Amino acid sequence: MKDRMEKGQEEMRKGQEEIKNQIQSHVESKVGEIKDHVNSCIEKIEDVQSVKREIGEVKGEVERKIEEVKDKVQGKIEEVKEKVQVKIGDLEKRLSELEDRPINFPANPDLTYSRPTVKSLTFDGQTSWTVFKTQFDVVSSANGWNNRVKASQLVASLRETAAEVLQAIPSDKLTDLMTIENALEARFGDNHLTQFYRTELKTRRQKPGESLQVLAADVERRMSLAYAECPQDVRDSLAAQYFVDAIRDEDTQHATRLMDAKDLKSALAYSMKYEAAKTVSKTSRNVRSIEVEDGTGKEKDEKFDCLLKTLEKLLNSHVAGKRNTPRRNPNVACWKCNKKGHVQKECQTISPNQEN
């Protein structure tokens, strides 16, 4: 029995040692794995730091390149400015020499001209080229300049941005009026804004408190910009249509459209008369209402009733005339609603602005 117990204890000790060895071996294995993982992480951190250093070096190099390019561009700009200023100075000097010469001195008749009687203008590219061109033509005509002198005066009148156009013109063409005007027209002309002005006309609406006269003047101004190349009769008809479409008051707009004015002046005159009659009508109704409430029993204003009856007859006659007009070509399209069978002046479509 004792031997058995000793033998069992011995086996237990061996088992414990074996388990201890296994645990120790497992722990050492895990410790090794952890160390390898830590070393791998350290290597990755070192790689990231190395990449950051490389990024910093690249960033610094890029910044240096940018500064170099900026310095070169600035230098080029300064060189161009100096060249332009030199050209302008030479042109002004040549022009001054031409002006200081006696009238009978030059042999070339193109250089013979009287001294300016109207002060010359300046153009810096910030104002309208079309307006400046019109003023310049008037001044040159008043001073009696020929084309060669006009070219010299035009070059001398250019300032700042406008003077930079001279860089693209050959030196032998600086006395050619057509070449200079074409270059300025291409840079500062407003022909490319024609569609923009036409869109403004289509969307133009009378503002609160804006008089019909101010509205008509604005429509006329925009017409001169949007349809400068159109014949006068077409411009007059379009101006009247745009003016009527822009009227804020629905009654005034409808009555003026029925009047079928051929030009803006007639449409304005009729709309003002209708607006005045409408104002008088409202005033008269208020006065009669006060008279009834006060029990005064005054008689109606016969002149005002006559005016209203005349206006009613006029409107009825126009409506009847529209109904009795022969049928139009079904392929005719309306400019307002884009539907076929009628024209814009007969269109009954209510625009969103009228609904408001």
Side-chain angles (χ1 to χ4, degrees):
M1 194 67 183
K2 184 177 179 181
D3 292 338
R4 289 178 181 175
M5 290 178 62
E6 289 178 353
K7 187 177 180 180
Q9 290 178 354
E10 182 67 23
E11 289 177 356
M12 287 178 62
R13 282 196 299 271
K14 289 181 179 180
Q16 289 176 353
E17 289 180 358
E18 189 174 332
I19 292 172
K20 183 178 179 181
N21 291 334
Q22 289 179 355
I23 293 173
Q24 186 175 1
S25 176
H26 182 71
V27 169
E28 289 177 355
S29 175
K30 290 297 180 182
V31 169
E33 291 178 1
I34 292 172
K35 286 183 178 181
D36 293 340
H37 182 69
V38 170
N39 291 332
S40 176
C41 292
I42 291 173
E43 290 177 356
K44 289 181 180 180
I45 292 172
E46 290 177 351
D47 292 339
V48 170
Q49 291 176 348
S50 175
V51 171
K52 286 184 177 179
R53 286 194 297 270
E54 292 178 358
I55 291 174
E57 293 175 358
V58 172
K59 182 179 179 182
E61 184 67 21
V62 171
E63 291 177 349
R64 286 193 296 272
K65 292 292 184 181
I66 291 174
E67 291 297 328
E68 291 177 0
V69 172
K70 287 173 64 176
D71 293 339
K72 290 181 180 180
V73 171
Q74 188 64 32
K76 291 292 184 182
I77 292 174
E78 295 298 330
E79 290 179 4
V80 172
K81 284 185 177 180
E82 291 178 0
K83 290 180 180 179
V84 171
Q85 293 297 331
V86 170
K87 285 186 177 182
I88 293 175
D90 292 340
L91 291 172
E92 291 179 346
K93 182 178 179 181
R94 290 170 57 187
L95 180 61
S96 177
E97 292 175 353
L98 290 174
E99 292 178 346
D100 292 339
R101 291 180 183 178
I103 295 177
N104 57 352
F105 177 76
N108 190 345
D110 290 338
L111 301 179
T112 305
Y113 67 100
S114 59
R115 290 187 175 275
T117 57
V118 180
K119 186 178 179 181
S120 183
L121 308 171
T122 58
F123 179 65
D124 58 1
Q126 302 300 318
T127 57
S128 171
W129 160 249
T130 303
V131 174
F132 172 79
K133 177 67 166 51
T134 302
Q135 294 176 325
F136 182 81
D137 289 340
V138 172
V139 171
S140 60
S141 177
N143 292 331
W145 295 338
N146 55 38
N147 287 341
R148 188 179 182 85
V149 177
K150 285 175 66 176
S152 300
Q153 291 287 349
L154 181 57
V155 169
S157 68
L158 301 181
R159 300 288 185 274
E160 300 179 7
T161 306
E164 295 178 3
V165 176
L166 300 175
Q167 299 178 70
I169 301 177
S171 57
D172 59 338
K173 293 291 185 179
L174 290 176
T175 55
D176 185 2
L177 179 63
M178 186 65 67
T179 301
I180 300 172
E181 287 184 346
N182 290 341
L184 292 170
E185 178 67 29
R187 176 72 180 275
F188 303 104
D190 52 7
N191 290 335
H192 62 287
L193 297 176
T194 299
Q195 189 59 43
F196 171 77
Y197 293 134
R198 293 182 180 180
T199 303
E200 280 192 330
L201 275 172
K202 292 179 181 178
T203 58
R204 180 68 166 91
R205 295 295 180 269
Q206 185 180 12
K207 302 174 183 178
E210 185 180 31
S211 66
L212 292 171
Q213 297 95 317
V214 174
L215 175 63
D218 187 59
V219 170
E220 186 174 17
R221 180 184 66 83
R222 294 171 189 265
M223 283 295 302
S224 63
L225 297 172
Y227 297 93
E229 304 298 331
C230 290
Q232 188 61 42
D233 56 340
V234 176
R235 290 174 58 182
D236 290 343
S237 178
L238 288 175
Q241 293 180 21
Y242 284 128
F243 171 75
V244 173
D245 291 340
I247 295 177
R248 184 182 183 87
D249 185 79
E250 293 183 8
D251 294 337
T252 305
Q253 185 189 69
H254 185 64
T256 308
R257 182 173 283 113
L258 290 177
M259 189 261 182
D260 194 18
K262 301 300 181 183
D263 53 52
L264 178 60
K265 183 177 180 181
S266 301
L268 174 62
Y270 183 85
S271 61
M272 290 179 63
K273 290 180 181 179
Y274 183 89
E275 193 174 64
K278 188 175 180 181
T279 302
V280 172
S281 175
K282 290 181 179 179
T283 304
S284 178
R285 283 198 297 269
N286 292 335
V287 171
R288 288 200 298 271
S289 176
I290 294 173
E291 290 176 349
V292 170
E293 290 176 358
D294 294 342
T296 57
K298 294 183 179 180
E299 296 180 356
K300 296 181 179 180
D301 190 344
E302 296 181 356
K303 293 183 178 181
F304 177 73
D305 288 342
C306 182
L307 176 61
L308 287 180
K309 291 179 180 179
T310 303
L311 182 59
E312 184 178 3
K313 290 180 180 180
L314 178 62
L315 292 176
N316 290 335
S317 64
H318 278 290
V319 172
K322 297 298 180 182
R323 292 175 180 174
N324 295 330
T325 53
R327 295 186 64 184
R328 293 184 176 274
N329 186 346
N331 294 325
V332 173
C334 175
W335 292 3
K336 185 176 181 181
C337 65
N338 295 324
K339 295 181 180 180
K340 294 185 177 181
H342 64 277
V343 294
Q344 181 178 358
K345 62 184 179 182
E346 298 175 359
C347 184
Q348 300 298 322
T349 302
I350 299 177
S351 63
N353 184 70
Q354 293 174 337
E355 292 176 355
N356 296 331

